[in-house]
Amino acid sequence: MTPDKAVATQRRKAALPQGFRHLPGRLDRQAQEALVAELRIIIAEAPLFTPVMPRTGKPFSVRMSNCGSLGWVSDVRGYRYQPMHPVTGRPWPAMPSVLTDIWAELAPDAPPPEACLINFYGEDARMGLHQDRDEATFDAPVLSVSLGDTALFRIGGLERSDPTLSLKLSSGDVALLGGAARLAFHGIDRLYPGTSTLLKDGGRINLTLRRVTKPEKT
Ligand code: MD3
Ligand code: FE
């Protein structure tokens, strides 16, 4: 069975929402290395921080930063997008043009992305099943770029209890979450340490480009 056929079969079983596209190896090794070099400069200006859960203050296992005009943060007060780094108080660095170029190619009808969330996973980090709903608009897709070690990604439906489908996201893979998939529950169950040589000290970086505010009507 071809991979696309397998996904189509599994999608019916899991009643997966439409609008999920996986583009394995969209970035070649050279493009991945160039992007990591840009991210190192971004992280030097906007250091990774450890977000905590609203109310409980329980730390995430993933460390984060952002680039673009807005960045996603989580602290005891809640989840939100803000224009400044929560620790340094400085504006987020600009988004690399390679990322905005991929957005323009894959989401030509969407307004430009405003936020690029940078998630860094050490070998034991994971991300529980959740929906992304802190944006003021869900019309635009979310675009994800994976770098470094392979991760086991899980995506379900619009209800937490819906059946889920698992697939691996590897270095250079791009995923586009549009349409009904935009509000699907999803998470990262685990990493496969040592599966990539891209990041000297191992681990995984995931970038998610998002439109946050409603675009100006034209
Ligand atoms: C499906 N990140 O940052 S990327 C997140 O690999 C997040 O770090 C994961 O979930 C990671 O919120 C998954 C793939 C992804 C991103 C956004 C989605 C899948 C999505 C939004 C809606 C549905
Ligand atoms: Fe998410």
Side-chain angles (χ1 to χ4, degrees), residues 127 130-132 186 210:
M127 189 176 286
H130 67 278
Q131 288 174 299
D132 290 16
H186 60 281
R210 300 131 185 279

Side-chain angles (χ1 to χ4, degrees), residues 151-172:
L152 185 61
F153 171 68
R154 190 140 63 100
I155 182 165
L158 302 181
E159 306 283 346
R160 182 177 290 280
S161 57
D162 286 342
T164 60
L165 172 159
S166 291
L167 72 158
K168 288 177 180 177
L169 292 178
S170 298
S171 198

Side-chain angles (χ1 to χ4, degrees), residues 91-196:
W92 305 105
M95 243 184 260
S97 56
V98 62
L99 297 175
T100 49
D101 287 352
I102 297 172
W103 177 278
E105 178 193 324
L106 296 180
D109 299 328
E114 295 169 299
C116 172
L117 174 60
I118 302 166
N119 292 152
F120 176 78
Y121 294 76
E123 64 176 54
D124 293 320
R126 50 180 292 282
M127 189 176 286
L129 213 60
H130 67 278
Q131 288 174 299
D132 290 16
R133 35 184 333 149
D134 299 321
E135 301 75 26
T137 173
F138 304 131
D139 294 341
V142 173
L143 191 153
S144 150
V145 178
S146 294
L147 296 166
D149 285 336
T150 299
L152 185 61
F153 171 68
R154 190 140 63 100
I155 182 165
L158 302 181
E159 306 283 346
R160 182 177 290 280
S161 57
D162 286 342
T164 60
L165 172 159
S166 291
L167 72 158
K168 288 177 180 177
L169 292 178
S170 298
S171 198
D173 288 7
V174 166
L176 193 70
L177 297 307
R182 176 63 183 78
L183 286 171
F185 276 87
H186 60 281
I188 295 290
D189 289 335
R190 61 164 294 193
L191 251 56
Y192 296 92
T195 46
S196 167

